[in-house]
Amino acid sequence: MQAISELIKQLPKAELHLHIEGSLEPEMMFDLAQRNGLELAYKSVNEIKNAYQFTQLQDFLDIYYAGMSVLITEQDFFDLTWAYLNKCHEQNVQHVEIMFDPQGHTERGIAFKTAITGINRALQQAKTKWNISSKLIMCFLRHLSQQDAFKTLEQAKAHLDLIDAVGLDSSELGHPPSKFQAVFAEAKSLGLKLVAHAGEEGPPDYVEQALDLLKVDRIDHGNRAMESKTLIARLKSEQIALTLCPLSNLKLCVVDDLSNHPLPQMLENDLLVTINSDDPSYFGGYIIENFLAIQQSLDLTKSQIVELVKNGFKGSFLTEKEIEQFIKQVDTCANSLI
Ligand code: ADE
Ligand code: ZN
């Protein structure tokens, strides 16, 4: 009989909500700034860390976009992604579905190809070296126009073999999913899967729009869906996965305390909820730290942890057969530890 923290560490896990630019650790930010001859607004790693005080999503986004400006070359994108995949290996994450924000780079004059080639090279190396499987999600920045998103989708067309899905992120309030209906329809026609951030700060109506207008396959966050009984019933009956990010919610003041996180009500309602890290270097932890924090705050049981871990695979874009194989591995590992 192992401690619950051991169970969390040892179970094979999937991560479905991770912005690769949000895994840029302050140390690497400094190294890359130096390598590329750039000057940062901060003088030390500690100064950067002290700046990570947020009261809402926008406070974080301003710092996040400034931080990613040190990413210039293909090697930078490789190094960033490789560092995250090393963490995955350390934390026994065996499948990742990572997001990237091409517009955060093309707007600065960095080619789409530079970013995607570096990220993909690291993903392929992790498959070869550790058998970590992956999917890549290209996000549209919702504070920009749909026309801009269409331009990005055009650029993506030369690399569709490397892209599995499109997503929608950045400033939620005032930028409803309806703004991106046409570009999501085109992405779907190209055979891409669809996800969108919704209900992180935005109202339940944004979650409904993501489902009805964008036709997403899963919802990133979705916390505020719990304000609507009809939405809860729908998420349950359609088993739409929600990619929750506990430490992100705490740092961005989406919840005032993890003990008030909506996860227990979601589990009671049989929703397909998963645990993820969102932007680990900004929010204080990777997937294991997120599991540990939410487990301790809500006193989750071992069987709830196993359910959450299995949901990570069930909510993924893997094939049914692959999901079945991963679930078997989770069961085998859980049975040996519980
Ligand atoms: N981009 C990176 N992290 C994000 C988040 N938590 N919400 C919206 N956009 C993001
Ligand atoms: Zn996110």
Side-chain angles (χ1 to χ4, degrees):
M1 178 86 136
Q2 292 279 355
I4 200 157
S5 57
E6 266 318 294
L7 184 71
I8 289 169
K9 286 176 192 160
Q10 291 191 30
L11 287 173
K13 292 171 282 294
E15 175 144 74
L16 306 182
H17 185 162
L18 178 282
H19 303 263
I20 198 63
E21 296 91 346
S23 72
L24 177 61
E25 292 287 349
E27 290 79 4
M28 184 178 280
M29 203 187 284
F30 255 96
D31 289 349
L32 293 183
Q34 197 173 32
R35 184 155 104 185
N36 292 319
L38 302 167
E39 189 143 352
L40 287 176
Y42 312 98
K43 289 190 187 57
S44 68
V45 164
N46 266 346
E47 213 179 289
I48 299 187
K49 288 183 180 167
N50 288 336
Y52 294 174
Q53 316 281 347
F54 316 115
T55 56
Q56 55 184 335
L57 175 59
Q58 193 61 47
D59 298 345
F60 155 70
L61 290 170
D62 294 342
I63 288 188
Y64 167 80
Y65 294 122
M68 70 174 76
S69 68
V70 300
L71 297 164
I72 308 287
T73 66
E74 192 257 15
Q75 187 65 39
D76 298 341
F77 287 92
F78 172 88
D79 290 346
L80 171 72
T81 311
W82 188 241
Y84 166 67
L85 291 163
N86 269 271
K87 270 282 175 196
C88 289
H89 178 58
E90 238 176 78
Q91 299 207 341
N92 205 13
V93 176
Q94 298 194 358
H95 177 69
V96 295
E97 303 198 347
I98 72 173
M99 304 184 201
F100 77 119
D101 285 330
Q103 289 158 296
H105 312 302
T106 52
E107 270 204 322
R108 304 181 284 115
I110 308 299
F112 185 101
K113 186 176 176 193
T114 302
I116 199 165
T117 311
I119 294 168
N120 176 62
R121 186 155 63 85
L123 293 175
Q124 296 316 316
Q125 190 166 302
K127 177 72 186 159
T128 310
K129 191 166 178 191
W130 295 314
N131 201 27
I132 294 176
S133 58
S134 60
K135 306 280 178 195
L136 187 57
I137 304 170
M138 174 183 88
C139 286
F140 300 121
L141 299 183
R142 67 201 304 160
H143 67 272
L144 301 177
S145 67
Q146 175 165 251
Q147 198 186 349
D148 245 65
F150 266 118
K151 259 193 239 158
T152 305
L153 190 57
E154 261 329 290
Q155 291 170 318
K157 285 182 182 168
H159 309 279
L160 280 185
D161 52 330
L162 308 182
I163 302 172
D164 300 283
V166 300
L168 187 64
D169 64 1
S170 195
S171 321
E172 187 179 9
L173 288 170
H175 302 285
S178 56
K179 186 176 157 186
F180 295 94
Q181 190 170 353
V183 75
F184 267 64
E186 178 164 351
K188 192 175 168 74
S189 77
L190 294 171
L192 295 165
K193 296 277 191 187
L194 310 173
V195 301
H197 284 55
E200 181 184 20
E201 284 189 341
D205 176 49
Y206 282 22
V207 179
E208 243 168 68
Q209 286 187 25
L211 294 170
D212 290 334
L213 304 182
L214 302 188
K215 311 217 176 297
V216 296
D217 298 287
R218 69 181 182 233
I219 297 282
D220 294 313
H221 298 292
N223 298 46
R224 292 193 59 194
M226 298 312 284
E227 294 168 27
S228 159
K229 282 207 174 91
T230 50
L231 203 42
I232 296 171
R234 179 171 181 191
L235 292 171
K236 176 182 173 175
S237 72
E238 296 178 24
Q239 284 292 283
I240 311 266
L242 303 181
T243 63
L244 305 179
C245 306
L247 290 175
S248 163
N249 291 163
L250 186 64
K251 276 295 243 182
L252 299 184
C253 305
V254 167
V255 294
D256 60 352
D257 193 287
L258 281 186
S259 61
N260 294 324
H261 197 278
L263 175 66
Q265 296 94 282
M266 291 170 166
L267 286 172
E268 274 162 32
N269 282 284
D270 296 320
L271 304 194
L272 189 68
V273 285
T274 69
I275 300 293
N276 308 272
S277 67
D278 206 3
D279 301 281
S281 92
Y282 291 90
F283 301 145
Y286 289 78
I287 195 165
I288 282 185
E289 289 78 21
N290 274 273
F291 266 106
L292 290 173
I294 199 78
Q295 189 279 322
Q296 282 158 15
S297 300
L298 297 171
D299 202 19
L300 298 178
T301 64
K302 287 183 179 174
S303 72
Q304 285 175 316
I305 294 295
V306 173
E307 181 185 349
L308 288 166
V309 167
K310 284 185 182 175
N311 286 351
F313 294 105
K314 287 182 190 166
S316 75
F317 295 140
L318 290 163
T319 64
E320 299 249 320
K321 196 166 166 218
E322 289 166 328
I323 293 170
E324 209 179 291
Q325 283 166 347
F326 274 118
I327 300 277
K328 269 193 199 147
Q329 283 183 43
V330 174
D331 276 329
T332 307
C333 182
N335 291 336
S336 75
L337 292 173
I338 294 177

